[in-house]
Every structure is written in C-alpha cells, then in structure tokens.
Amino acid sequence: DFHDVWQIDPLYMGLPLLARLLFAVAAALVLYACSMLSSPATAQEPRSSPRLSNTATAATAAAVDITPEYWLPASLPHAKPPQVVSGCGPAPGPREQQTQRPRLPHTPCQASDAVVCAIAASAPGHSLLLLSSVLGQPASSVLTERLTAAKGAVSPGQLLLVATTREAATVAQSLGVGWYLPREAGSGAAPARVSAGALWRIGAQLLRAGCTVVLSTSRVRWAASPFPHLSADVDVEAAQLGSQMSRGSVVGVHDPPMGWSAYGQSMACPMLDPAVVALHPTAPAAELAAQLANRLLGCGADCERSRPSGSLAFLLTQLVHQPAHDGDTRAGVSMRVLRRDCLLGGRGLFGGGHVATAAASRDEEAEVALEQRAGVDAAAMGPGPNDILRSALFSEAREAVLERGCRAQPRDEGSAAPRPLNDILQPGDAFPKPSACAADENMRALCELLKEAAIGREVLAAVSNKNIFAMLGTFLVGCARANISNAVVVALDDATAQFARGKGAHTYVRKLVARGGSTDNHATSGLKFAVLHEFLSAGCSVLLSDVDVLWMQNPFTLPSLYRDADVEGMTDGWDDLTAYGYEWPSHTRSLRLGARNSGLFYVRATVEAVRMMARLKGRMQREAVWDQTAYNEEMWWAALPREPAHGIAARVMNYLCHMNSKTFFRYMREDDQLLARHRPVSLHINYHPEKLPRMEDAFARYHGAAPDVDLGNGLGRPTKRAAQGGIHAWHWGVGLKAGKWCREAPRVRGAPGSALGGRLVAAGGRATWSGISGLHFHAGGALDTPWGSGSWGTLKKPGAEHEDVLFADFIGQQHVVGPHADGWPRLTSTRCADFENVTVVVHEGG
C-alpha cells in the first residue's frame, strides 16, 4: 500500500525530488494495475456453526441460501482520527438510566456465513458503513462520486458496497472500496428490492458478527464518519421523514354517534427514513434487520406474512414502532431518532447537513415498490383525523379466530424472535421478592396476599372504590364463571374491602388518593400505576382489568396471553388497520393506530415495565393528564436527544379476543357467523355510558342467568332487556334502540311556552337530582349540574306533541323530564339511553 511505499531505505530518500515524484507515480500505477488484475475472491460455504435456536428465527432464515462473492482491499493505510462535526455529536446522556442491551461478541464470530466473518474480521473498530448500489440506479459517475466521498469520510476499510451488478463492484474495486455481491443479484428480481433486501440481510449477519453497521443508500453523500455521531445507547438509530424530529403524538378522533364516548384517541409517529439507519450489535437489532430482509426477499413458501405492504419507510417503521400481534412478532428494539439536520440536511429545512446529505429523487425515497395486501387502501381513508372512522377491514383477525380461536399462536415463520425479557425474578428466585416485601407495611401485606393468590407469579388485578359495588359484583361473578381463581381486588377504601371479601375475593387494601382528591372514574383509574409498581417490584406480573370488563374465558390457562413482551394490551381499535396500524397520509407521513386502552393490559414483571410504571406514577401525581394518554405515550414515544429510550417491548391483543364494546356492539354482534361460533376472552364496556346494563346483557349471552346471580332484575331472573333481545336491544352508539326517538326529538332551549318550564324558572331553578344537590336550571336554557354543564328546554315527543315535557342534557346523556306521580315539586327524569328513572326535587323559592 501507499504507506509501505514510503518505508524505503535511505537510498530512496537521497534521490532528487523530481526522481522521487516519478518513482511515486510509477509505484501508484503498478499497485492500481495489480488490483485490477487480481480476481475477486469467491465466498466460502457457510460454516457449520451452531444456530441460536432450533426455531426458524428471522436471523437464521436470513442466512439460508446465500452464496455471495466479495472483495476486500489486501492492505489498508493507517486509520485517521474521525472527524466530529461541531454540534452534531451525541447528545449528553439521558436524564434517566436505561437498560443497555448485551452486545454480541466480535470473537468468536456468530455469523453463519464464513464470508461475513471474513468481512467482519477486517472491519476497523468493528464498525462498517454499508452503501447500496441501487435505489434509483445511479450512473457510474454518480456512484463513483458517492463512493469517493464515503471513503474519505470513514476510516480505511470501514466502507463496503453492497452491489447488485458486477459493474458496480468494478467501480468500487477501482476505488479501493470493498464490495459484496449477493447471490440474489442475479435472480432477475426487481433491482431496488434486491438491493434493499441484500443490504439488510448482510447487515443482520454483520450484527451477529459483533459489528456496528450503518446502512445507507447511494443517494446519501457522506462528508464525515457517522460513527462518532451516534449515541450507541440503543439498538437502532434512524432519522425520520419530514423536516422536524418528533417523538410521536396523540391524535384525537370525534365520532358523534358514540355520544358520551364520541372522543377517542389514536397514536401517530412519523415514518422512519431508510436512507440512513444505524444498528448496534445486539440480538434485537440483528433480528430486526433479518426480519426486514425476509419481508423484502421472502423466507419460503410457508412464510405467512412475507408480503410487505406499503413503502419501505412504512415497513421499517412497522418493524420498529408497531406492536406485535398474534404470530406477527417484533424484535423489541429500543430506538433513538437521529438529527436530520446533521445526518440528512439536504432533505430538511436546515440546509446543508454536516455529516451527510441526501440527494432528492423523483420518488422521494426512490423506494422499493411493495405490493398492497388485498383490501388495504389506507390512502382512501384520507388525511383527516376522523377519516380513520371509515375503516372496516376485519379479514385478518376474523379468519384467525374462526380458524383457531383465541389461543396464543406460534410465531410466524421468518418473524423476529422476541428479545429475552429482563425479568425482575429468575425461575429459581424466591417469590415474592424478599427485598421488595421488606420495604414497608403495605408491601408486606401485599406479599402475604401474593403467596396465596398468585398462580405462576401472575394475578388478575382490579382497582375499585365504593362507588361501583354493583359493577364490581358482576365483574367478580364473571371471573368466577371464567374459572379465574387468581383475581385480586385492590380496594381503595374499607367499604370496598368489606364488599370484596364478602364475595370471597382476594383483597389488597391500598388507601390511595388521586391528585386533587377526586374519587371519580378517571381520577381513580390513574391510581392503578402506583399499585402496579408495587406488584411488579415484588416480581408479580399483572393482568390489569377495570371492573367494567366481563370475562368469558381464562386468559392465563387458555392461554390468550403471549408473555413475550413487557406490555400487551387491549386496543380501542375495531378492525385490522385501526388495531394494528396503517400508513396515514397526513401532512407528515406517519404510522397510525388506535390507542391501547389503559383499562385492560398485561404487564410483565420486568425491569423496563417497573420503570414505565414509576414514570406513570410520577406523572399522575404531577400532571393533569388522562391516565390512558400517559400510558400510551410512555410506550410509544421515540427517544429524542437527551431523552431516555423507554425500551418497552409491546404487543397488542387480538381485538376480537379481548374486545372493546364498540367492536362488539357495532360489528361482531351484526356478524351472524362470528357471533354464533366465536367466544371472546373478555369484553370491556369502555365505549358506552350504560356500562352495567350492557355488561349484564353480555353476561346473560355468554354465561346465562343463574339462581345466585342478579343481572339487575333480581336473583335468577333475566335482564330487564331480555324481551327486547338482550345484547340486541342496544344501539351500537348510545342507548337502547327503543330510545332513539328520545335522543333525537326536537329540542328548544329555555322552555318558551311551557307551563312546566315557567314554573321551574319561577321557583328559582334549583333542584336535587336523585338526592344530589347542585342542579340549577337557568332561565336562558343553561344547566348546571355537579357533573358538568349542559342545557335544558322543551321537547316535542313524537305522537304526543301536546304533552308538556322538558329535556335536560349533560355529559353526553339525554333526559326527558316530566311530572312526578306525587306531584309538584317532584319531577321524574328518564334517561334516554336506558329509560332509567330518577326523582328531581325542585327547591321552592330558590
């Protein structure tokens, strides 16, 4: 090499300057000629090293049937110190300590291909910049310019071209750049797809060999080495499409027919840009790279999910951000967002990225053309927040439950092996964890309970207070009917503890008070995270359930739980796209999916889950935030500079197995085959205000009436709506079908011309509602209630317009108010949703 040319005896140094220059030029020409005459080395057969698992994981599947060719420079000049671009170095460490993944060893090489081991062995600093030769098919001159720039940016030997043609390999070799030509290059497949798949496939193998790899398309022009600009504290670092960094966001949805639950939530995050992706040598990163390669190149005839959908950016974003579901597993990578102004500045608003820039192309990403799955047309739903409401695609989940029920399914062939969970307790450790049990009196009481209640170090837990005894009773009977014997009630007060113990339930008394002292549903719900932190710290995994959940099967023994993620939760989505995710064509291309419900999720006793619960506990104490919003954010947010990566491996439950009430009443109930043949594991009445009555009708449908069960109409009797069809009596939105007239009847605020309304205003307008004070009917039609503001006025009853009746609407509920049988000052209010009557007493004289 050129370094050796100058190590010549003193005779050379004594030659005249001109002679020395001619000698140097001649030596350079000789070296160039020798490199061009040398024939490329042929890859050896894959070495017979033991596989990590007998299962066909993504990484092992990616190693099959590769007979590549490669060439590496025989010798390299001395490495130069890497240039660190000012302002683009790694951000200061995150404020919170995060779990570091174990690094895969560089020696011995764990790659199953001797070619890859040879490439890895030559990598300076165990780091390689991999450049693909197509994605837009750059001309030879463009490729030469990109390779020259990249070679000058990194240390000698840190650059490898993943070529798809021999012409590209020749260009690289003429520049002294190593190249790798995979067998797929001659397959006749689309060059762009082969290039992307081969890039990720060798990336997976090099990760297994202990190398850090940066994957880059040839449209990226490197000005400095990427390696000193990486944080290296996560599995994956990638830039996002668009001009700004974002950790993700909550996108609200408004669905008026749902009435009380018209507001819903979905989660969105910007697409990741496949132009530059850094992967560190961990098992999850290697599994991710191999799974993506399999999606592009295929993993055999039996690979059920090998067909990708959408763009390459969407595919990458799916495998990094989208939770696992059914047999479609995820590697569970931790991820950090790269600064786009530094890494890809030529495509952002900052102008002139300092480490690298990316040339624009006619197709913004010059992407692989990936086919759409049948029936999927996410773009047709439109860019608006509420356009998601059009989605109604059930084929994937419906086919699965009709064929196999709700039992957890084996991993799809070619999918990533989920990363090993970082459990608080190992199999041989004492349970509950002794050091956690000794923390205080509450923990000692909890540990004594867990010794009795937990099965396999797991419990089903419900947090409740004295406001919802009827619903809690129905919940407990449902658990008993589903043979769930490890259910625990976390009682927030003594009255609830007494009630639960009277029902024979395992009970943990924990007198917590919500921020602000409120005891309403949302405030109480936020206390669950403090309770979960205690359970998990003791080494007990928890299936957290609100009490408005009806259990029809035992999720532990069926099992419907996969237990391969830190958190697996029920979704508020209602079909394949809203539950599992789709490409949202908003102003920023994003992955979007329905929020996971904070009222039903399984959380494993892992280090990452304990930290997540600690963060949520703190947020509930400090912030006025809905517990469901915080819950989703803490396992969705991407890590920005100076922020820790959550490191949570997530899974979403099958939406037809662990159902929300919108899915059940709007869709499944109307599907005769599904209703007749499919038995869900659970049904959460989360979308509807008539929680207890709908829960009672669902109980009657799946468990039947029994002499010891009161379904709101006396022991052993059918529900009050049985004659109207039970579950079929309910509108899929708000209320009973029979109450539609009541909800939609014409209303006039302020009661002009109404004798009853005039008398109410003349009396001062103040009243009690079922014994609760704080009601005020104002003359103009405004209504104050203890639960929130509303409106009142006259209502025209269809077919009886002459009747003098009023309406009182508040917190999403409609009521008809008329004379009471006992006469003035009493009135009867009938709720339109379920025709429940309460007495309103007017205070004469205000």
Side-chain angles (χ1 to χ4, degrees):
D1 69 20
F2 285 103
H3 176 74
D4 293 333
V5 167
W6 304 116
Q7 309 303 313
I8 301 177
D9 60 39
L11 177 62
Y12 169 81
M13 297 306 297
L15 292 174
L17 177 62
L18 179 59
R20 279 185 278 165
L21 290 175
L22 291 173
F23 184 92
V25 171
L29 291 173
V30 170
L31 288 171
Y32 177 77
C34 290
S35 68
M36 293 302 293
L37 289 172
S38 61
S39 60
T42 302
Q44 304 172 27
E45 291 297 317
R47 61 171 62 179
S48 56
S49 58
R51 297 299 176 92
L52 295 179
S53 167
N54 290 327
T55 305
T57 68
T60 56
V64 174
D65 197 28
I66 298 179
T67 309
E69 296 180 3
Y70 76 108
W71 176 86
L72 299 174
S75 57
L76 301 169
H78 285 317
K80 58 184 179 181
Q83 175 190 358
V84 179
V85 177
S86 177
C88 290
R95 292 193 295 261
E96 176 187 338
Q97 180 65 34
Q98 59 192 38
T99 303
Q100 295 291 319
R101 304 277 191 252
R103 294 299 177 104
L104 295 171
H106 188 66
T107 303
C109 177
Q110 294 187 15
S112 58
D113 194 320
V115 168
V116 173
C117 291
I119 294 173
S122 70
H126 305 164
S127 302
L128 278 171
L129 171 61
L130 305 184
L131 200 67
S132 63
S133 64
V134 296
L135 283 185
Q137 288 284 8
S140 176
S141 60
V142 176
L143 180 60
T144 299
E145 191 273 336
R146 294 289 188 266
L147 287 172
T148 302
K151 181 182 178 183
V154 298
S155 296
Q158 278 191 324
L159 178 64
L160 183 73
L161 178 73
V162 181
T164 51
T165 64
R166 292 194 176 277
E167 292 78 10
T170 301
V171 171
Q173 189 166 331
S174 71
L175 298 171
V177 174
W179 54 262
Y180 173 89
L181 186 68
R183 180 176 181 177
E184 291 86 357
S187 67
R193 189 161 184 168
V194 168
S195 177
L199 184 71
W200 283 88
R201 176 164 282 180
I202 188 174
Q205 288 280 50
L206 287 167
L207 289 165
R208 288 284 173 193
C211 286
T212 293
V213 295
V214 174
L215 309 184
S216 170
T217 71
S218 55
R219 291 180 301 104
V220 178
R221 188 185 191 281
W222 289 95
S225 172
F227 301 107
H229 302 92
L230 302 176
S231 296
D233 61 343
V234 291
D235 301 309
V236 180
E237 300 183 58
Q240 296 170 329
L241 293 176
S243 59
Q244 297 180 350
M245 293 188 298
S246 171
R247 57 185 179 179
S249 59
V250 175
V251 181
V253 180
H254 187 66
D255 191 5
M258 296 306 300
W260 176 79
S261 288
Y263 174 75
Q265 289 185 330
S266 64
M267 308 302 296
C269 67
M271 295 287 195
L272 299 179
D273 192 337
V276 174
V277 182
L279 300 108
H280 299 285
T282 65
E287 285 291 330
L288 167 72
Q291 187 178 21
L292 195 146
N294 284 335
R295 295 291 175 93
L296 293 171
L297 301 175
C299 56
D302 297 328
C303 186
E304 296 181 13
R305 300 180 188 275
S306 62
R307 285 190 304 157
S309 173
S311 66
L312 179 57
F314 179 58
L315 179 57
L316 173 61
T317 308
Q318 272 188 309
L319 299 185
V320 171
H321 285 302
Q322 184 188 56
H325 69 89
D326 301 305
D328 189 9
T329 54
R330 294 290 177 267
V333 295
S334 57
M335 182 265 175
R336 181 172 294 285
V337 179
L338 289 173
R339 287 183 53 181
R340 191 174 190 86
D341 55 330
C342 288
L343 266 298
L344 293 169
R347 297 168 67 190
L349 297 180
F350 301 93
H354 300 296
V355 179
T357 56
S361 64
R362 284 175 296 179
D363 177 3
E364 167 62 14
E365 300 158 54
E367 286 199 312
V368 180
L370 305 180
E371 64 220 52
Q372 293 283 341
R373 287 184 184 167
V376 177
D377 188 9
M381 291 195 289
N386 293 329
D387 292 336
I388 193 174
L389 297 172
R390 304 174 192 170
S391 188
L393 183 71
F394 309 99
S395 55
E396 187 174 332
R398 186 178 186 276
E399 179 182 338
V401 300
L402 287 176
E403 181 181 343
R404 303 184 297 267
C406 288
R407 184 183 300 275
Q409 298 303 307
R411 184 170 71 249
D412 293 342
E413 184 181 350
S415 286
R419 66 166 174 81
L421 298 180
N422 194 13
D423 290 325
I424 293 291
L425 293 177
Q426 299 307 310
D429 293 343
F431 174 82
K433 187 177 181 181
S435 59
C437 297
D440 56 37
E441 182 178 344
N442 289 315
M443 287 300 297
R444 284 191 289 272
L446 173 60
C447 288
E448 288 302 312
L449 177 72
L450 293 178
K451 291 175 184 177
E452 178 184 348
I455 299 176
R457 300 180 178 182
E458 296 174 321
V459 297
L460 184 151
V463 181
S464 184
N465 64 15
K466 60 185 177 183
N467 295 342
I468 47 175
F469 280 174
M471 196 180 303
L472 177 58
T474 305
F475 167 82
L476 289 172
V477 176
C479 288
R481 289 291 188 273
N483 297 313
I484 302 172
S485 57
N486 57 338
V488 173
V489 174
V490 180
L492 299 177
D493 50 65
D494 290 330
T496 303
Q498 182 179 357
F499 178 87
R501 285 169 178 154
K503 299 291 185 180
H506 299 293
T507 305
Y508 172 46
V509 182
R510 192 69 171 92
K511 297 180 180 179
L512 297 171
V513 179
R515 182 177 182 270
S518 176
T519 60
D520 67 17
N521 181 49
H522 283 308
T524 301
S525 184
L527 297 174
K528 62 170 68 97
F529 303 121
V531 174
L532 286 172
H533 187 268
E534 295 175 349
F535 278 76
L536 299 181
S537 297
C540 184
S541 301
V542 180
L543 177 56
L544 187 284
S545 173
D546 282 355
V547 298
D548 58 347
V549 175
L550 176 67
W551 290 94
M552 286 83 87
Q553 297 192 70
N554 187 326
F556 300 102
T557 59
L558 183 60
S560 61
L561 300 174
Y562 283 75
R563 301 177 172 99
D564 62 354
D566 298 296
V567 182
E568 51 185 299
M570 185 201 99
T571 176
D572 277 352
W574 55 89
D575 75 336
D576 294 346
L577 298 187
T578 57
Y580 305 144
Y582 69 99
E583 183 172 346
W584 183 33
S586 63
H587 64 284
T588 299
R589 292 175 55 196
S590 302
L591 168 68
R592 188 180 181 192
L593 71 167
R596 276 156 281 174
N597 193 279
S598 61
L600 179 59
F601 59 92
Y602 174 80
V603 59
R604 188 83 174 173
T606 65
V607 172
E608 288 80 2
V610 168
R611 287 178 179 159
M612 177 181 170
M613 293 305 124
R615 292 193 299 271
L616 287 167
K617 174 185 174 182
R619 291 187 66 182
M620 294 300 103
Q621 294 170 344
R622 297 187 307 270
E623 304 174 28
V625 60
W626 184 21
D627 66 285
Q628 179 157 303
T629 300
Y631 164 72
N632 277 274
E633 288 173 340
E634 290 297 334
M635 60 179 169
W636 181 256
W637 276 342
L640 300 181
R642 297 179 176 83
E643 292 294 333
H646 57 68
I648 292 292
R651 168 177 284 278
V652 62
M653 294 172 169
N654 186 299
Y655 64 89
L656 291 178
C657 292
H658 294 275
M659 302 184 72
N660 62 61
S661 55
K662 179 176 182 176
T663 304
F664 180 78
F665 284 100
R666 185 169 186 176
Y667 299 110
M668 179 177 160
R669 184 186 60 175
E670 308 305 321
D671 185 325
D672 293 340
Q673 185 182 28
L674 202 59
L675 190 63
R677 292 177 49 190
H678 173 56
R679 185 180 184 89
V681 179
S682 63
L683 171 59
H684 189 181
I685 314 294
N686 62 312
Y687 267 101
H688 296 90
E690 319 86 18
K691 291 180 177 295
L692 181 57
R694 287 185 188 251
M695 194 174 177
E696 291 166 345
D697 286 321
F699 188 105
R701 162 77 188 184
Y702 289 102
H703 293 308
D708 59 338
V709 178
D710 185 353
L711 297 178
N713 199 25
L715 288 173
R717 297 176 60 83
T719 70
K720 296 176 181 178
R721 296 150 301 277
Q724 289 75 46
I727 60 171
H728 296 283
W730 296 99
H731 187 270
W732 62 262
V734 174
L736 293 164
K737 294 175 180 176
K740 183 178 180 181
W741 70 265
C742 176
R743 296 188 295 274
E744 298 179 1
R747 286 159 160 76
V748 179
R749 282 175 62 106
S754 166
L756 181 60
R759 190 173 186 181
L760 180 58
V761 172
R766 298 189 181 277
T768 59
W769 186 281
S770 191
I772 301 172
S773 60
L775 216 61
H776 190 182
F777 295 82
H778 295 276
L783 176 63
D784 297 335
T785 81
W787 309 279
S789 60
S791 61
W792 75 280
T794 58
L795 178 142
K796 299 299 182 182
K797 192 173 180 179
E801 287 80 2
H802 63 282
E803 288 189 26
D804 189 5
V805 292
L806 309 174
F807 74 88
D809 298 343
F810 53 92
I811 60 169
Q813 291 291 308
Q814 298 81 33
H815 307 81
V816 174
V817 180
H820 192 279
D822 294 341
W824 184 267
R826 287 178 170 77
L827 303 173
T828 296
S829 172
T830 303
R831 186 163 58 194
C832 297
D834 56 5
F835 298 116
E836 180 178 299
N837 293 329
V838 299
T839 298
V840 178
V841 179
V842 180
H843 300 307
E844 294 275 15

